[in-house]
Amino acid sequence: MRRLLLTAATTTAAALTLAACGTTEPAADSTKKTTGAISLTDSTGATVKLDGPAKKVVATEWNEVESLLTLGVDPVGVADVKGYRTWDTAVPLRNEPKDIGTRGEPSTDTIASLSPDLIVASSDLPDAAVKQLRKIAPVLEIKPADAGDQIGQMFENLDLIAKATGTTDKARAARESFETKVAAGRETLADAKLGGSPVAFADGYVTSNQVSIRPYTSGSLIGSVNEELGLKNAWKVKGDPAYGLGTTDVEGLTALPEDTAFAYIGNDGDKASNPFAGQLKKNAVWSSLPFVEAGAVHRLPDGIWMFGGPGSMEAYIDALVDALTK
């Protein structure tokens, strides 16, 4: 399943082969501006030094790509360009970056050919891979997720990349835009008497004709945004400590409250990733679920990256609020 995360693939490989919403206060500014040089501390505690704001930037993970685009920086190299264009159209690529390979195994030769000023890399990459990348250019490692504070982590990452690229004003604007969107969505749902309503967001995949479902618990980014909107996360399963993702099957859906609204994002370019509109239509358990019978299953538009940045989350808020209030 092409959209699966590097961490999800390593921490839940057997299942995938593959809450709190935290503060949105800005992280302390660690940029030194005395000589024009920049010194940063990345998410691993490593010091990253730049001669000045990075212009030619390579990104190894899609949430990092989205952060760069949000900040007005067009990356020169992106991991799995086709995949990004498939799964994240909420914050689209504006240029034609070089494809540097997969998100889990970026090509060092390709990256070196781009002569980047900076490589923004997921801290989920193996240490050996990061060591090789450091021979090419300064590497800013980014912690992609934190189930204890997903929204806070999202903005911490955005702020850190903004400091490295000299775009802190755009990071502040993105924060303000997101907070305005959340407030407007919460108000709309409250006016529609939907505050506190249970919502279950999930994705799924089909392997060897078997359907597996991945709940987005309160510790997920989507789950955190839902709660910021005044909704209740209907999932009772436990999520992983990074992304807040759980595992269940069709029978596990029977534990959801009867008045649950079920939401998902499918993708027409990846048929195996959308069992809700495919294989489950013939499943008796799925068909008998109260929210299925009530027509409370909402497919949200393609192209909203569930692990992205504020741009994707704003698109998600618009889509979810619209679906719930129709």
Side-chain angles (χ1 to χ4, degrees):
M1 183 178 176
R2 287 184 289 276
R3 66 178 151 172
L4 296 182
L5 305 172
L6 178 61
T7 290
T10 56
T11 60
T12 60
L16 303 179
T17 310
L18 318 172
C21 170
T23 177
T24 57
E25 289 300 312
D29 191 344
S30 60
T31 306
K32 298 178 182 179
K33 302 178 181 178
T34 54
T35 64
I38 297 174
S39 179
L40 300 167
T41 301
D42 71 12
S43 64
T44 69
T47 299
V48 180
K49 295 184 178 181
L50 303 171
D51 293 335
K55 303 300 182 184
K56 296 177 64 179
V57 186
V58 167
T60 71
E61 185 53 84
W62 292 346
N63 61 343
E64 301 155 7
V65 175
E66 183 175 321
S67 289
L68 287 164
L69 294 169
T70 298
L71 297 169
V73 178
D74 293 322
V76 297
V78 169
D80 188 3
V81 172
K82 181 180 179 181
Y84 185 90
R85 287 199 167 108
T86 298
W87 289 104
D88 196 340
T89 58
V91 185
L93 291 167
R94 296 180 294 258
N95 63 336
E96 296 293 333
K98 184 73 173 179
D99 193 310
I100 62 168
T102 67
R103 291 179 287 155
E105 296 182 7
S107 166
T108 53
D109 288 342
T110 302
I111 294 173
S113 72
L114 297 171
S115 301
D117 303 326
L118 176 68
I119 302 168
V120 184
S122 170
S123 59
D124 289 336
L125 281 179
D127 291 341
V130 175
K131 184 177 180 180
Q132 291 299 312
L133 293 176
R134 292 193 192 282
K135 296 178 180 179
I136 300 170
V139 176
L140 186 70
E141 289 193 74
I142 297 295
K143 182 179 181 180
D146 180 356
D149 186 2
Q150 294 289 15
I151 293 179
Q153 187 66 53
M154 176 178 72
F155 281 112
E156 181 178 327
N157 293 344
L158 188 70
D159 290 342
L160 186 59
I161 295 172
K163 292 167 191 172
T165 56
T167 56
T168 54
D169 56 336
K170 293 185 178 180
R172 286 191 295 269
R175 181 189 298 272
E176 292 169 1
S177 177
F178 173 79
E179 292 174 347
T180 298
K181 182 70 71 175
V182 168
R186 185 190 305 118
E187 182 177 1
T188 299
L189 292 172
D191 289 345
K193 310 300 182 185
L194 292 172
S197 298
V199 173
F201 185 93
D203 62 18
Y205 56 98
V206 181
T207 304
S208 300
N209 293 320
Q210 296 297 313
V211 175
S212 295
I213 296 169
R214 191 166 63 162
Y216 285 55
T217 72
S218 294
S220 68
L221 179 56
I222 290 287
S224 297
V225 171
N226 286 347
E227 292 185 351
E228 283 290 281
L229 291 171
L231 300 168
K232 181 180 179 181
N233 197 305
W235 292 112
K236 303 301 182 184
V237 300
K238 184 178 180 180
D240 73 86
Y243 292 94
L245 304 175
T247 58
T248 190
D249 55 18
V250 180
E251 285 73 19
L253 299 179
T254 60
L256 292 171
E258 290 188 2
D259 58 343
T260 294
F262 189 90
Y264 71 96
I265 297 172
N267 195 291
D268 291 332
D270 189 350
K271 299 298 183 183
S273 72
N274 190 5
F276 310 111
Q279 189 164 334
L280 286 180
K281 284 188 174 182
K282 300 179 181 179
N283 184 283
V285 175
W286 170 260
S287 300
S288 66
L289 292 168
F291 53 84
V292 176
E293 293 181 336
V297 176
H298 307 286
R299 176 179 176 173
L300 305 185
D302 293 359
I304 300 173
W305 182 229
M306 295 86 73
F307 314 96
S312 280
M313 292 304 100
E314 286 192 29
Y316 171 75
I317 290 169
D318 284 340
L320 181 67
V321 170
D322 181 64
L324 295 181
T325 56
K326 280 184 176 178

